Amino acid sequence: MMRPCEEYIVDDPGQLGDILAQLAADPSAPPRTYNRLQGIWARQVGDDIELSYLASAAIGEPFRLWRCRVSPGTEVPSLSPIVALAGSYEREVRDLYGIDFAGALDRRSLIFHHAKARGAPSQDQQVPIAPSAPTIVESPDLQLLRFGPVRADVVESARFAFSYAGEGIVHLETQFFYKYRGMEKRFEGATPTMGSILAERVSGVDSVAHAFAFALACERAVGIEVPERAQQLRVLLAELERIYNHLHYFGLLAKLTTLKVGEAEGHYLEELAKQTNASLTDSRFLRGLITPGGLRKDLDVSALEPMLMDLEERVQGYLGTLNGTRSYLDRIETTGVLETHVALAQGATGPIERASGLDRDLRRDHPYGGYDRYQFVVPDASAGDARARALIREEELFASFAIVQQILKRLDHGPIQVPFEAASLTGEAEGLGWVEGTRGTLIYAVYLEDGRLTRVKIKEPSFSNWRVFPYTVDGTNMMDYAINEASFGLSLAGNDR
């Protein structure tokens, strides 16, 4: 039993399409609809493969999970013709478990680049509701620019193929998983305590979010709740992580809009935030603290409030100057527009979806770890361009400062951990954990047997948002490309895992 989910068993894989058709994105639905696919994964169960389809439900309602066992070699109907974002998950399952999905729109390998090509999607494939996957554009009038996987600066590895004419981009084709590390496989056989250390390293800039979601999944699997002080400090750490990530975001955006002073000041403020983290936790990236059962050590927060008040004041001045710089605004307004129906159909999450008119945030809508005890604003916008994405990050920054202030005013005394005796557990247990990370919805599904992890599935926000990104590139120009990519604020390490 995956806690906390409503579960459904599907005996006949042929019925999956009809049953899960309810997850198709409906452009006429209100933008806060939660009836949405969140992931597909597989695991070995005896001689069979168990497929799991996870969907979010309405606000406050439990997630829903459909399970279906199939024999190796069984062909399963693809959901991608009716639920577009299913395509990426199905390609991943096919690469890792050999399950073929009949009728899939995109049959190329996702993870293993040198696997035998299974055919590209048809250009004239008609999808009634969701936009189809991007297709390769070939024309004697177009030039092809292949860029990557090694890119200048310290940018992560990925390959981009631009079909372009002059400065206009006709089509962008992406290829990822150059940094595939098999992180989900690495959890197998580990204890939950060791698993939290692995989780922190899935995406280095999201260490807290990953450890938090993993710990929640393990705690739900065994049915324990951590002490109040540990819950409060976990939320504090999560918001400190959001602050330094968003400051990095603005430093990079200033750099790509050629504002050298803005770049330097943004990264200086990011550095101040990381120094604050280090003074509080001994880790600039806030690592080594969250573990199943609570925290590894207590934190002395007595010096935190004045440091954050000073940082917040500096951030206000910095962003005020950026927003008053016409050349900065000219480069981000109307750049990389993501339409609401595309964001919904293709599975955008986090600041990306909130900038495109989808008002959703797990902290508010499916609260976890005590978030329902704090007041904060979830910003949203509808323009869907780089400017809207930056505004969402800006407002989230100040919401994070406000949440931290509330925690500091009411921080409880008491224990920071309850025993998590995984080694003494017998039999099987499963749990689901989720957080609203800096980049969006992050979900862990964990499976335990006799105290050891047997399978861990990670639904990473950058996996969702990298899928969406190419839809904002076609029809734009080369000069805006780097700004557009920076405005998404993605992690390739998280995507590739």
Side-chain angles (χ1 to χ4, degrees):
M1 182 70 165
M2 181 70 71
R3 301 176 183 178
C5 272
E6 288 182 353
E7 293 192 14
Y8 309 91
I9 305 299
V10 181
D11 295 324
D12 180 4
Q15 298 176 341
L16 280 169
D18 292 336
I19 293 173
L20 300 180
Q22 59 184 286
L23 300 179
D26 180 357
S28 65
R32 288 186 68 178
T33 179
Y34 272 79
N35 192 32
R36 187 180 195 186
L37 181 70
Q38 293 291 343
I40 303 171
W41 65 89
R43 67 174 183 130
Q44 191 80 37
V45 180
D47 294 331
D48 294 334
I49 303 294
E50 181 185 81
L51 294 173
S52 294
Y53 297 76
L54 179 70
S56 52
I59 295 173
E61 294 186 2
F63 287 72
R64 292 172 295 158
L65 184 74
W66 291 265
R67 299 177 191 257
C68 181
R69 286 193 185 185
V70 298
S71 301
T74 302
E75 196 171 60
V76 177
S78 171
L79 288 184
S80 62
I82 51 176
V83 185
L85 63 95
S88 296
Y89 294 105
E90 291 176 349
R91 291 170 66 192
E92 184 178 39
V93 168
R94 186 176 57 228
D95 279 4
L96 297 178
Y97 288 87
I99 298 295
D100 208 0
F101 291 87
L105 297 182
D106 190 344
R107 299 176 62 80
R108 294 168 296 173
S109 177
L110 180 70
I111 297 175
F112 305 117
H113 299 165
H114 300 296
K116 183 179 178 181
R118 294 182 170 89
S122 167
Q123 290 193 42
D124 59 359
Q125 181 72 51
Q126 296 298 311
V127 184
I129 296 176
S132 61
T135 54
I136 295 173
V137 176
E138 295 182 0
S139 168
D141 298 325
L142 298 179
Q143 293 178 287
L144 179 65
L145 171 63
R146 297 190 187 278
F147 181 49
V150 178
R151 300 194 282 170
D153 211 334
V154 291
V155 183
E156 297 173 293
S157 302
R159 197 176 80 161
F160 303 87
F162 297 89
S163 300
Y164 69 103
E167 291 187 355
I169 302 173
V170 177
H171 178 65
L172 170 66
E173 193 77 22
T174 57
Q175 189 168 47
F176 304 123
F177 288 92
Y178 287 93
K179 298 182 73 172
Y180 178 61
R181 293 162 290 158
M183 290 300 291
E184 293 177 0
K185 188 73 175 176
R186 289 173 182 267
F187 283 90
E188 296 178 9
T191 63
T193 301
M194 180 59 71
S196 64
I197 296 173
L198 281 172
E200 288 181 335
R201 284 148 180 82
V202 173
S203 176
V205 292
D206 298 306
S207 292
V208 172
H210 277 267
F212 199 170
F214 173 79
L216 287 171
C218 292
E219 290 153 7
R220 285 171 178 145
V222 301
I224 65 169
E225 187 167 342
V226 303
E228 179 66 20
R229 182 175 175 84
Q231 290 190 39
Q232 293 170 323
L233 290 175
R234 283 179 171 184
V235 172
L236 183 145
L237 293 170
E239 296 308 317
L240 291 178
E241 181 170 83
R242 201 179 314 274
I243 288 171
Y244 88 73
N245 266 281
H246 284 355
L247 289 173
H248 175 84
Y249 174 90
F250 284 106
L252 181 60
L253 204 55
K255 172 186 177 181
L256 293 169
T257 51
T258 66
L259 299 177
K260 295 301 181 186
V261 175
E263 173 194 358
E265 186 169 0
H267 290 316
Y268 172 64
L269 294 173
E270 174 194 358
E271 173 62 23
L272 290 181
K274 287 179 176 175
Q275 288 181 8
T276 300
N277 297 343
S279 67
L280 177 68
T281 69
D282 296 327
S283 169
R284 292 160 57 83
F285 292 92
L286 306 164
R287 293 174 185 157
L289 292 163
I290 296 179
T291 188
L295 295 176
R296 287 190 175 86
K297 66 176 183 180
D298 206 348
L299 300 177
D300 178 2
V301 299
S302 57
L304 186 58
E305 186 170 15
M307 297 172 75
L308 287 179
M309 288 179 65
D310 177 65
L311 179 62
E312 184 177 5
E313 185 177 345
R314 290 170 183 261
V315 171
Q316 286 175 336
Y318 169 62
L319 293 178
T321 303
L322 267 188
N323 289 325
T325 304
R326 190 64 250 174
S327 63
Y328 169 76
L329 298 177
D330 284 345
R331 298 302 305 276
I332 61 176
E333 288 175 347
T334 71
T335 296
V337 175
L338 177 64
E339 302 287 351
T340 303
H341 73 282
V342 178
L344 182 62
Q346 300 298 335
T349 183
I352 309 303
E353 67 169 334
R354 290 192 283 277
S356 291
L358 301 177
D359 179 18
R360 305 193 287 187
D361 188 315
L362 290 177
R363 295 175 298 173
R364 177 196 62 195
D365 301 329
H366 296 274
Y368 55 89
Y371 265 107
D372 54 345
R373 294 192 283 274
Y374 307 109
Q375 293 185 339
F376 58 96
V377 174
V378 177
D380 66 316
S382 58
D385 58 1
R387 169 68 167 152
R389 292 188 280 275
L391 283 174
I392 296 296
R393 296 258 187 170
E394 179 177 330
E395 294 187 41
E396 285 188 359
L397 252 175
F398 295 115
S400 292
F401 281 117
I403 292 172
V404 171
Q405 290 289 345
Q406 292 175 59
I407 294 170
L408 294 177
K409 283 181 169 48
R410 67 176 71 169
L411 187 59
D412 285 4
H413 296 286
I416 46 97
Q417 191 175 49
V418 294
F420 189 86
E421 304 292 348
S424 63
L425 295 176
T426 57
E428 298 181 348
E430 305 173 4
L432 191 72
W434 62 85
V435 301
E436 184 72 27
T438 301
R439 291 163 178 76
T441 298
L442 171 63
I443 297 175
Y444 270 72
V446 303
Y447 298 83
L448 291 158
E449 183 173 355
D450 297 334
R452 296 276 175 172
L453 295 160
T454 58
R455 173 79 169 102
V456 171
K457 172 59 188 173
I458 306 168
K459 189 272 184 185
E460 233 280 342
S462 288
F463 184 79
S464 303
N465 287 330
W466 269 118
R467 174 185 173 81
V468 173
F469 173 66
Y471 291 91
T472 68
V473 177
D474 294 3
T476 62
N477 66 70
M478 286 288 189
M479 293 298 291
D480 288 340
Y481 173 80
I483 296 172
N484 186 20
E485 183 182 328
S487 75
F488 269 69
L490 304 174
S491 162
L492 276 165
N495 176 80
D496 295 355
R497 289 158 286 134

